[in-house]
Amino acid sequence: MKKLAIFVVCIMVAIILKAIITILSTIFLGIGLIVLFSWLYEKFSKKNIHDKKGIF
């Protein structure tokens, strides 16, 4: 009975940790994408078409 309780607690902790990691990674990914797109938008909106060829 005691082993079962420990096993259940371990599973609960693992599920909670996985949920926290998933949420954090989603938030960081979202922030990263927003920063990346805003940086790209700034870079491309300031320059004209001729300057774009120099980047690639």
Side-chain angles (χ1 to χ4, degrees):
M1 198 72 190
K2 216 171 193 182
K3 281 183 181 174
L4 185 71
I6 292 164
F7 185 67
V8 169
V9 168
C10 286
I11 289 170
M12 296 264 292
V13 169
I15 290 166
I16 290 163
L17 281 174
K18 192 176 185 293
I20 290 166
I21 290 164
T22 307
I23 291 161
L24 283 175
S25 62
T26 306
I27 290 165
F28 280 120
L29 186 71
I31 291 166
L33 282 173
I34 290 162
V35 169
L36 182 71
F37 278 117
S38 63
W39 178 76
L40 282 172
Y41 178 75
E42 248 180 58
K43 201 170 177 70
F44 284 116
S45 63
K46 282 179 185 171
K47 297 180 175 230
N48 59 25
I49 296 160
H50 297 293
D51 287 340
K52 278 186 189 175
K53 288 175 185 172
I55 296 165
F56 298 116

